[in-house]
Amino acid sequence: MAFVAPKETYSGKVLSVNFGKDSNAVTIGGENTMPFLGFEGNIANKPVIAYEIQDIIPDDWPENLKKNYEGEWDNPARWAKFCQENLKARALALRLVGTHPDRENRSPQDAAKTVRDVLSAIDIPLIILGSNNVEKDSSVLVAAAEAASGHNCIIGKAQEGNYKTIVAAALAHNHKLIAMSELDINLAKQLNILITQMGFDKERLITDPMCSALGYGLEYTYSVMERIKLAALTQNDATMQPPLVGDVGMYVWKIKETAASETDLPQWGSLEERGIAWEAVTAVAMLIAGTNLLIMRHPKAVKAVEKVIEELV
Amino acid sequence: MALSGVEIFKLLPKTNCKKCGFPTCLAFAMKLAQRQVNLDSCPDISEEAKKILGAASAPPIRAIVLGTGEKAVKMGEETVLFRHDKKFINPCVLAVNIKDSLSDAELNKMVDKVLNSEMERVGQKLRIDAISIENASNDKARYEAVTKLVSSKAPDTPIILNCKDPSAAEAAVKAVADKKPLLYCATTDNADAMANIAKANKIPLGVCANGLDSLSTLTEKIKGLGVDDIVIDSGAKSAREIIEQNTQIRRSAIKKGFKPLGYPIINFLQREDPILEASIASLAIAKYASIVVLSSIEKWKNLALFTLRQNLYTDPQVPMQVEQKIYKIGEPSPESPLLITTNFSLTYFIVSGEVENSKVPSRLAVMDCEGLSVLTAWAAGKFSASKIAQFIKDSGVENEVKHRELIIPGYVAILSGSIEDKLEGWKVTVGPREANALPSFLKSRAA
């Protein structure tokens, strides 16, 4: 019996979204096949990894993560420059954790200043993320979007409870936007529809179906992402065609497996490699499920995933 | 390829004798097509029809068992391409490759690592399932000796005999044939000899070719030589080859019923850098490998790969559940707050994560609600006032905490009064509706 390669025909295509400026701008998405099936379609752009930095010293990061940035992270602009120059980051994600009411409750004006400082220190593309406090983000991200005007950033994350002001700000200052819903394909679809109904182009949108760490619900994210890609490609569902983001680092580096000491859990092996592998494996699973943009923290995990991407495309 | 009900009906006796338990042959045929009944229920079916229907009802990917006894592992029998369609059935086997050119001391060390690889996670015992012994020495006597050494040290661990030389393979197989090892591998050069060894010893045979076209030709040939239990390797090495070729194999078998590729897949994916190897292995586990052969099995790597495999092979229709108990977060004192939620794993992970973020040491009572989320469990009557009261009483938490205050999820605020009625001496406090509001809730109370 002769073998005939079983090819799918896809009626849809993932939209491509670019962010950043000039020759350093990057483009994600644009593929017309399920993840990495180059034999039946065109993978227009490789997935991109953005290094995460924060506006305040992240004292909750475990030692193995901390040691990579310790000398740099008391100043977000210096930290950003360090990632660009020493780690050769292709993109950055600035998380404005300090604006959270439970952290330093920094004002939108403070956030805007941090954004300006970071943008003047780097020339790679920037993702600007709030603290994930629904009310606070709606004012912080508006100020941040204005401060970043003209830089073609990605602003996020717009959620059901606050999308209106954030969408308006992204629209006014010409940014791209992450829309986040909670691990449900229908919620993701609904939020994308609400946002486009405000006049925001779906071509400027990125979907965050919500990430989960390996061992902590990863299978849900994995399947939601696969289903979104299938809807986009096989059913040509335009509302599901924006590229996907996996906010991997923040979910991975707060769990026990990346922080518990070897003295307490000798059966889990070396803590340093355990943490790196946990972030890398979570990120690879997200890639296979369809992620176009990853936000990560540990330089060695980023390097490993970049090697996988090189092998894949 | 699966037959339709009408196609099956044509092969049945059409007597409507009802001996199968169905009113008509057509009704029986319909059930057969859905694989809900067995062909044997029909006493009058002809041998010829049996043969046709038997072949058509065989699973698209053949089931193969590696090893014997308690540690034997089953592979294949998968029915879908995406885990959200239907559960992936037989979890990918994780194996480590050991070269026979290593010293005996190094070999012993590797086997010890395999024997000590077992760990428990969410109630399952997970381990490195198999050892691949590679004939790197090209020395027949050495290969046989190492095979004996490994099998006596790890008598229950399934073995893959990784050897292309039929004469070395024959000697090694003899030493361990009763353990049902996998002989790997038959190629276009040694197919006849390898097939004879596998057939004579009744063991499965790995078949390796370069690309899917020649692989199909080779499995057909091997099958023609009388070997039914086959494991296939398309020669894929790079991440791209693995995902593309594994996908084509799985699709051919499941969607096209293409028998020459209807077998479990084995991927050898050794890399120098163990983190990169773990990353590539993740990709193979996610995309259809039935055996992944690694070059190193550090504990941290095992933990990550076991967890990924467990995640991907959970049943999407059965919510993952965590054990019912009082979980301690941080180091709670008898005065620390006590919260309650359901045992849907996602609920547990999110709630416990946010409690952890609050840095307020707490107790989290996780109640068995058959893996439903708070609102669903409440609606289904599984997260009710009387059940919560009973659980708190039975849990023994009353001996652990000095206070008598229970924090319930904001979504079930309506239950607060009735829980107080049923749980004498307790005060019920309504917590936030969403988990992400827990840190500020707990902090403001602690202040």
Side-chain angles (χ1 to χ4, degrees):
Chain A
M1 230 192 288
F3 169 77
V4 182
K7 289 187 190 173
E8 295 286 336
T9 44
Y10 300 108
S11 50
K13 187 178 165 185
V14 175
L15 298 166
S16 48
V17 172
N18 83 305
F19 67 115
K21 288 200 305 183
D22 311 323
S23 59
N24 286 322
V26 299
T27 306
I28 54 170
E31 70 272 16
N32 62 352
T33 158
M34 284 298 277
F36 310 108
L37 301 181
F39 66 92
E40 63 188 8
N42 174 31
I43 301 158
N45 298 290
K46 289 182 190 179
V48 170
I49 305 175
Y51 276 89
E52 176 177 341
I53 63 168
Q54 300 193 350
D55 60 339
I56 55 170
I57 294 177
D59 49 19
D60 53 346
W61 286 17
E63 189 58 37
N64 285 312
L65 191 53
K66 186 175 165 183
K67 67 181 187 195
N68 297 287
Y69 304 109
E70 223 170 353
E72 317 291 336
W73 70 9
D74 53 323
N75 177 324
R78 201 168 74 238
W79 188 0
K81 210 172 167 62
F82 171 79
C83 291
Q84 175 175 319
E85 286 172 7
N86 295 51
L87 303 178
K88 310 286 174 231
R90 289 191 62 206
L92 284 183
L94 167 65
R95 198 183 303 277
L96 298 162
V97 179
T99 62
H100 197 289
D102 293 343
R103 300 295 284 268
E104 294 192 6
N105 201 15
R106 291 192 171 188
S107 67
Q109 292 73 32
D110 286 341
K113 183 181 180 302
T114 307
V115 168
R116 278 192 293 270
D117 290 349
V118 167
L119 280 169
S120 61
I122 57 168
D123 44 31
I124 51 174
L126 184 67
I127 302 165
I128 303 167
L129 302 169
S131 65
N132 202 25
N133 178 291
V134 174
E135 293 94 74
K136 191 69 185 282
D137 278 359
S138 64
S139 57
V140 166
L141 291 175
V142 169
E146 188 186 358
S149 197
H151 284 269
N152 189 23
C153 294
I154 297 174
I155 307 286
K157 302 166 181 178
Q159 308 183 43
E160 196 196 347
N162 64 10
Y163 72 93
K164 285 186 181 153
T165 55
I166 301 171
V167 169
L171 201 55
H173 299 285
N174 227 357
H175 297 299
K176 307 295 163 33
L177 184 73
I178 296 174
M180 184 179 79
S181 46
E182 292 184 355
L183 275 178
D184 182 304
I185 182 169
N186 294 313
L187 292 179
K189 190 176 157 82
Q190 182 189 324
L191 184 59
N192 285 357
I193 292 173
L194 290 172
I195 290 173
T196 47
Q197 277 172 351
M198 285 183 68
F200 198 83
D201 291 342
K202 61 181 188 302
E203 286 81 5
R204 308 168 60 82
L205 207 51
I206 294 159
T207 303
D208 180 355
M210 186 179 260
C211 194
S212 350
L214 173 62
Y216 292 80
L218 172 117
E219 67 273 28
Y220 297 100
T221 303
Y222 187 90
S223 280
V224 170
M225 285 183 164
E226 268 193 339
R227 292 178 60 198
I228 288 177
K229 287 278 145 137
L230 284 167
L233 295 164
T234 61
Q235 293 155 29
N236 198 14
D237 181 342
T239 61
M240 299 274 74
Q241 285 168 343
L244 297 175
V245 60
D247 198 352
V248 167
M250 71 171 279
Y251 289 96
V252 163
W253 291 100
K254 68 176 184 190
I255 62 166
K256 198 172 171 186
E257 281 79 356
T258 58
S261 78
E262 288 165 55
T263 337
D264 292 344
L265 289 158
Q267 69 273 27
W268 282 2
S270 152
L271 173 59
E272 165 127 40
E273 272 115 341
R274 195 202 308 150
I276 298 168
W278 213 267
E279 187 174 29
V281 169
T282 306
V284 170
M286 296 292 100
L287 284 178
I288 299 309
T291 304
N292 302 90
L293 175 64
L294 289 161
I295 300 170
M296 296 178 64
R297 290 183 177 171
H298 200 297
K300 285 188 182 157
V302 173
K303 295 278 179 287
V305 179
E306 277 174 349
K307 275 190 201 158
V308 176
I309 294 172
E310 284 308 310
E311 272 194 40
L312 275 169
V313 189
Chain B
M1 179 103 72
L3 297 177
S4 72
V6 173
E7 285 167 321
I8 295 171
F9 174 66
K10 287 179 187 158
L11 297 162
L12 295 178
K14 299 193 199 85
T15 50
N16 295 339
C17 70
K18 302 185 179 61
K19 285 183 219 159
C20 60
F22 293 91
T24 62
C25 289
L26 184 61
F28 181 59
M30 292 300 172
K31 289 285 166 189
L32 274 174
Q34 292 160 21
R35 295 187 182 167
Q36 288 175 353
V37 287
N38 200 309
L39 194 55
D40 301 337
S41 310
C42 175
D44 303 323
I45 194 159
S46 73
E47 278 308 311
E48 195 204 338
K50 216 181 224 176
K51 216 169 143 189
I52 299 170
L53 290 172
S57 65
I61 298 172
R62 191 176 170 82
I64 311 278
V65 176
L66 178 61
T68 52
E70 241 176 63
K71 289 190 177 174
V73 278
K74 197 174 183 192
M75 305 172 289
E77 281 188 322
E78 301 298 335
T79 56
V80 293
L81 285 155
F82 299 103
R83 65 173 294 284
H84 59 261
D85 287 333
K86 206 168 175 227
K87 184 180 190 286
F88 288 175
I89 299 165
N90 290 311
C92 173
V93 170
L94 293 172
V96 62
N97 188 59
I98 304 181
K99 293 186 162 125
D100 68 350
S101 50
L102 294 177
S103 71
D104 285 6
E106 288 169 309
L107 282 167
N108 277 312
K109 220 169 125 187
M110 281 298 274
V111 178
D112 277 333
K113 276 193 186 176
V114 174
L115 294 172
N116 293 323
S117 66
E118 187 166 295
M119 41 183 117
E120 201 176 309
R121 199 183 161 87
V122 205
Q124 287 182 343
K125 280 194 173 142
L126 309 164
R127 65 174 85 87
I128 290 296
D129 309 278
I131 298 175
S132 153
I133 309 168
E134 181 183 346
N135 181 18
S137 67
N138 274 322
D139 173 345
K140 201 168 128 183
R142 175 67 186 161
Y143 192 59
E144 188 185 351
V146 168
T147 302
K148 281 181 178 160
L149 184 151
V150 170
S151 97
S152 69
K153 201 170 157 63
D156 303 326
T157 306
I159 286 174
I160 299 165
L161 292 166
N162 181 359
C163 174
K164 290 193 176 73
D165 169 12
S167 67
E170 189 156 27
V173 167
K174 280 216 175 87
V176 291
D178 59 327
K179 297 183 201 292
K180 220 177 170 214
L182 169 68
L183 176 57
Y184 175 94
C185 63
T187 63
T188 42
D189 298 332
N190 66 11
D192 293 279
M194 286 297 202
N196 282 335
I197 300 170
K199 198 177 157 189
N201 293 283
K202 299 192 180 68
I203 58 170
L205 180 61
V207 174
C208 180
N210 189 13
L212 299 177
D213 206 13
S214 42
L215 183 62
S216 314
T217 313
L218 196 52
T219 57
E220 286 289 85
K221 177 178 174 181
I222 302 277
K223 195 166 188 291
L225 292 168
V227 178
D228 291 323
D229 286 347
I230 294 174
V231 173
I232 52 177
D233 179 356
S234 65
K237 289 281 179 280
S238 74
R240 180 182 174 144
E241 287 165 350
I242 291 169
I243 193 168
E244 287 193 354
Q245 295 179 10
N246 287 10
T247 301
Q248 292 191 33
I249 291 170
R250 180 85 155 239
R251 267 195 208 158
S252 294
I254 286 173
K255 295 186 80 172
K256 310 276 178 202
F258 185 66
K259 291 289 173 196
L261 294 181
Y263 301 103
I265 299 169
I266 184 169
N267 287 143
F268 282 79
L269 38 73
Q270 287 89 337
R271 295 290 187 284
E272 291 260 320
D273 171 5
I275 301 230
L276 181 61
E277 187 175 284
S279 302
I280 304 287
S282 316
L283 180 153
I285 292 170
K287 285 296 162 189
Y288 316 138
S290 283
I291 308 180
V292 159
V293 186
L294 306 159
S295 61
S296 69
I297 49 162
E298 298 82 354
K299 285 191 150 80
W300 55 265
K301 189 159 108 185
N302 294 346
L303 179 68
L305 294 180
F306 292 167
T307 307
L308 179 73
R309 177 177 63 178
Q310 193 179 40
N311 278 178
L312 294 174
Y313 278 84
T314 51
D315 188 338
Q317 267 129 30
V318 179
M320 230 173 113
Q321 308 179 18
V322 292
E323 188 194 341
Q324 160 166 312
K325 69 174 192 186
I326 312 284
Y327 290 82
K328 289 183 182 173
I329 300 174
E331 282 169 20
S333 71
E335 279 80 27
S336 298
L338 170 69
L339 304 93
I340 188 165
T341 193
T342 69
N343 74 331
F344 175 37
S345 67
L346 205 55
T347 301
Y348 166 75
F349 290 139
I350 293 172
V351 171
S352 63
E354 293 297 351
V355 174
E356 209 150 302
N357 284 347
S358 76
K359 306 248 190 312
V360 178
S362 305
R363 285 183 180 77
L364 178 61
V366 172
M367 189 172 131
D368 182 1
C369 298
E370 293 163 34
L372 298 177
S373 65
V374 169
L375 269 183
T376 327
W378 170 73
K382 296 182 198 305
F383 198 54
S384 66
S386 50
K387 285 183 179 161
I388 291 173
Q390 196 59 44
F391 168 54
I392 292 296
K393 278 181 203 156
D394 295 347
S395 70
V397 73
E398 284 177 322
N399 305 321
E400 282 181 47
V401 295
K402 277 199 181 138
H403 64 75
R404 291 289 177 263
E405 184 192 14
L406 178 65
I407 301 167
I408 62 168
Y411 277 115
V412 291
I414 193 169
L415 292 179
S416 64
S418 43
I419 299 175
E420 280 180 354
D421 290 345
K422 294 188 167 79
L423 205 56
E424 217 169 296
W426 281 72
K427 175 181 168 233
V428 172
T429 300
V430 176
R433 289 160 78 95
E434 298 293 341
N436 62 18
L438 275 169
S440 51
F441 173 81
L442 289 170
K443 266 188 214 161
S444 66
R445 285 169 41 97

